[in-house]
Amino acid sequence: MKTVADSRSGSAASGPDGVPAASTATALDTARVLLIEDEPGIVDFVRRGLEAEGFAVEAAMDGIEGERLALGGGFDAIVLDLMLPGRGGLEILRAVRQAMPRVPVIVLTARGEVEDRVEGLDAGAVDYLVKPFSMAELVARIRAQLRAIAHASTSTLSAAGIDVELLTREVRRDGRVVTLSSTEFELLIHLMRHQGQAVSREQILSSVWGYEHDPATNVVDVYVGYLRRKLGLPGDPAPIFTVRAVGYRLGGTR
């Protein structure tokens, strides 16, 4: 069985630092996508669907080959299954995030429990799709990630004494480096993009974790607690405030 699908010729490659080629491309639809998936039917379905939209696709059907291709560079986005032979998807995800932090990785898996989503996002995924999935939704999510990279007017965000370098994912508060997990980072970015606004738990859950409100989960409150502890300084707590009966707000006064 052939484990690697032929890619289109003439695809734009990324640089050695992992900057997606689509960031300078004139058309996002020509981006080069790596699919790491071990089910032949899904590989064929996804490849045909993405190529019909103009993407150039290369596929690997085991974790070892997938990691080799991913770390070799040249891809604008990666679609990654978690349960793979040879090497697990989470291991690949962590390796890619360390080597090429700017390349978006979208996890595609049958594991849809909240804990699985959190684990994937914490490992560095930018998005998460659960099987069975819509081809149109996968295409839309890939385009959204590429568009965010290509159209970003600035690579930094600043709010309430917090500075974030979006490309390297470096976070500082008052000049002090703060190390965050991927989920904590995405939560912080969401709050910073809504600086001074009260953001509901439902909005945060949908934006950061990608699923609708679950009244039984306290994951938002738990991660806000993590952020507060990491961003807080002696005598100067993190500027994340609880808005009663609503959710949370970054910046402003209590």
Side-chain angles (χ1 to χ4, degrees), residues 178-243:
V178 180
T179 301
L180 301 180
S181 71
S182 290
T183 302
E184 292 164 351
F185 181 86
E186 296 301 332
L187 173 57
L188 176 61
I189 293 302
H190 185 76
L191 293 173
M192 292 181 73
R193 292 193 187 280
H194 296 82
Q195 180 187 7
Q197 303 173 25
V199 184
S200 71
R201 290 175 176 83
E202 291 83 357
Q203 289 174 302
I204 296 172
L205 198 63
S206 177
S207 176
V208 177
W209 281 270
Y211 54 90
E212 298 306 315
H213 178 56
D214 177 359
T217 183
N218 68 341
V219 66
V220 173
D221 307 287
V222 169
Y223 272 82
V224 166
Y226 293 161
L227 265 187
R228 281 173 166 163
R229 284 194 291 275
K230 289 188 176 183
L231 292 171
L233 298 170
D236 186 11
I240 301 175
F241 306 109
T242 300
V243 181

Side-chain angles (χ1 to χ4, degrees), residues 105-108 120-121 124-129 141-142 144-145 209-210:
V105 179
I106 297 174
V107 165
L108 183 65
L121 292 168
V126 298
D127 212 337
Y128 202 110
L129 269 178
R141 294 196 183 201
I142 292 173
Q145 293 298 329
W209 281 270

